[in-house]
Amino acid sequence: MSTRQRAPVLERTDLSPAGPRQLLRDLSPEYAVNGLIGLIFSASGPIAVTLAVGASGGLSDEQIASWVFGIFLSAGLATIFMSLLFRRPFGFAWSIPGTVLLGPSLQHLSFPEVVGAFFTTGVLVMGLGMTGVVRRAMAAIPMPIVMAMVAAIFLRFGTDVVDASTSAPAIALPMVTVFVLLTAVPSWGKRMPPVLGTLLIGLVMVVATGQFRFEADGRVLAQPVFTAPEFTLGAQLELLVPLAITVLVVQNGQGIAVLRQAEHDPPINSFAVASGAFSIVNASVGAVSACVTGPTNVLLTASGQKQRQYTAAVTYGVLSLVFALFAPVFTRFMLATPEAFVLALGGIAMIKALQGAFVTAFSTRFTFGALVTFVVTVSGLDLFNIHAAFWGILFGYVVSRVLEPQDHLGLD
């Protein structure tokens, strides 16, 4: 009598882990640049959001600096470990929606109470990953609906290019022009990857227009601060479920969809376990939850051979560790860069991913459910302190089940 073998809860890699020699053989300037751009993206706009939330919440400079140290430390460690283990580009960062939802909470909760929620969120996310329920839940959601959520979130990166081109044309328009030329003429693009050319001309224009303003204040090395957590019922009820949903659905869901689009096979349960474990690391220095992130993984898989793209993730991870160590000076450096440069660079680098998300969402089945997902996510609907992307997927899935039953045949 034959028995059906169950898949392991934690996914196994079909490739041997990459060692130092393999890594050096596969690494090239193209992948290193993709990793660098991933770091530039993470260390600019998202850092500005983190600093703004921390300042508005009354955190001290030491607490905010410790937060920045923690998120880059965990991003670097998780990315390097998972990318080398699976030999795939698995980029980790921290939850920006989770950071944003902390803003109102810090107005009436103490920071130790918030840190207590960070700890329990890490334990919950890790526990859900170890049960295997995360992979089953993600498998139940049709890919067009997930990609409609991704398209809605990535849409702003496309509009950012337009905004940057109108607010700072001297910086953004040369970047757009160079990207179009290097993409349109393949022989030029082989000599100079389009995103690299965009980065270089952007830096030239930033310097030429005199818009780089760096101010030194003497602090160089990070000094992490431990905040003793307080586990109160009010803080747990307010933050635990929203933070966990943000990590597992909004952030990891984006990353999983992007990696699948790039023809990588993401280990969904392992992602949850790693996110939970490194969220606990973050919490120990007062930082928000760790997660897999869509935008970063788009940048890491932007070009090159699929089997070598993990080197871009390792580059990003190593640079994240360096950024963590020198967090005070690097944060000031990145914030001295004009916003238009960051918006244009991020938008241009993600434009193909945005195109792919729309194609996957609306080209075959589940199109009405995908449309509902897209509209609800774009609307910014915020119920019970939970991000609109979750409600977009939920409403889109329910509507699709009711109005598109034929599309679900064979999936149950």
Side-chain angles (χ1 to χ4, degrees), residues 5 17 27 45 51 62 78 100 114 132 140 174 182 189 265 301 372-373 386 396:
Q5 187 176 5
L27 183 63
L51 297 180
E62 291 76 16
V100 172
V114 172
L182 293 177
D265 185 20
T301 59
V372 172
T373 298
I386 297 175

Side-chain angles (χ1 to χ4, degrees), residues 12 14 86 88 90 259-260 263-268 271:
R12 297 171 183 170
D14 56 352
F86 286 87
R88 290 185 172 91
F90 295 156
L259 288 165
R260 284 175 172 169
E263 300 182 352
H264 293 286
D265 185 20
I268 298 173
F271 275 177

Side-chain angles (χ1 to χ4, degrees), residues 218-248:
R219 292 182 301 160
V220 176
L221 294 177
Q223 297 179 333
V225 177
F226 174 74
T227 299
E230 291 183 13
F231 300 96
T232 62
L233 181 60
Q236 299 299 323
L237 290 175
E238 181 174 338
L239 292 174
L240 176 59
V241 172
L243 282 173
I245 289 176
T246 298
V247 170
L248 292 174

Side-chain angles (χ1 to χ4, degrees), residues 52-88:
V53 169
S56 65
L59 303 188
S60 67
D61 291 346
E62 291 76 16
Q63 289 172 323
I64 296 175
S66 185
W67 189 335
V68 173
F69 166 80
I71 54 182
F72 278 99
L73 176 69
S74 68
L77 293 176
T79 298
I80 293 171
F81 175 76
M82 293 293 286
S83 298
L84 290 178
L85 178 63
F86 286 87
R87 212 194 297 181
R88 290 185 172 91

Side-chain angles (χ1 to χ4, degrees), residues 9-10 115-135 231 235-249 252 268-281 283 289-290 386:
V9 173
L10 296 183
V115 171
F118 290 164
F119 273 104
T120 54
T121 299
V123 173
L124 176 61
V125 170
M126 185 167 58
L128 290 173
M130 295 180 71
T131 65
V133 68
V134 180
R135 184 171 61 205
F231 300 96
Q236 299 299 323
L237 290 175
E238 181 174 338
L239 292 174
L240 176 59
V241 172
L243 282 173
I245 289 176
T246 298
V247 170
L248 292 174
V249 180
N252 283 19
I268 298 173
N269 287 337
S270 297
F271 275 177
V273 172
S275 297
F278 284 98
S279 292
I280 295 173
V281 173
S289 306
I386 297 175

Side-chain angles (χ1 to χ4, degrees), residues 14 20 39 64 67 70 83 91 108 111 117 131 133 159-160 165 176 190 225 237 246 262 282 314 329 360-361 405 410:
D14 56 352
L39 188 279
I64 296 175
W67 189 335
S83 298
H108 61 271
F111 191 53
T131 65
V133 68
T159 58
D160 281 346
S165 299
V176 173
K190 288 182 180 179
V225 177
L237 290 175
T246 298
N282 282 2
V314 174
V329 64
T360 303

